[in-house]
Amino acid sequence: MPHATDIPAPPAAELARHFRARLAAETDCSDVHATLQARPDAIVVVDTRSPEAFAAGHVPGAVNIPPATMDAAALAAHGDVLFVTYCWGPHCNGATKGAARIAELGFPVKEMLGGVWGWEMEGFTLVGAPQDAVAS
């Protein structure tokens, strides 16, 4: 049975570069929520799921742009911002596909780890979700 210590960790400087690189490309639900509260014009949150999934519930202020429909003109219309992609959660790679496409088109982007699942686990609410329709 393998153990965590079977393969030695790299030198600390190499690890620091690795983890800093991950932080440059990834963010989490709590940090996105805080940014939306303090500086909402600094980011555009991109829901990469289907229009039907988006309509059923999404992060407040998010725009729905599935990766197959992303183009430079649509992204440029949002101005000089950081794009943040998300999808369903850890089991879904739609956010990764969207982030790759946005980067290929030349725009700054991060992937929000956790997606919809993480957003709700953090205690944040979705808009357009069934509970919102009942409250209306």
Side-chain angles (χ1 to χ4, degrees):
M1 180 64 73
H3 297 275
T5 57
D6 288 350
I7 299 172
E14 187 177 328
L15 287 169
R17 283 190 298 276
H18 167 77
F19 290 116
R20 288 288 168 207
R22 284 189 60 193
L23 290 171
E26 301 169 347
T27 188
D28 66 18
C29 300
S30 182
D31 290 349
V32 170
H33 183 268
T35 303
L36 288 172
Q37 298 299 305
R39 298 180 25 226
D41 295 338
I43 63 174
V44 171
V45 180
V46 178
D47 186 317
T48 62
R49 300 173 302 148
S50 70
E52 296 79 17
F54 179 81
H58 57 271
V59 171
V63 297
N64 182 224
I65 314 174
T69 67
M70 291 177 177
D71 64 53
L75 296 171
H78 292 284
D80 186 22
V81 296
L82 173 67
F83 290 92
V84 177
T85 62
Y86 75 90
C87 60
W88 286 108
H91 61 282
C92 175
N93 68 0
T96 305
K97 290 176 183 176
R101 180 71 179 139
I102 291 169
E104 289 165 355
L105 291 168
F107 297 91
V109 63
K110 289 188 177 195
E111 179 180 0
M112 182 178 83
L113 302 177
V116 168
W117 179 83
W119 189 264
E120 291 184 307
M121 292 300 294
E122 290 281 345
F124 307 131
T125 58
L126 300 172
V127 295
Q131 66 268 21
D132 291 342
V134 173
S136 302

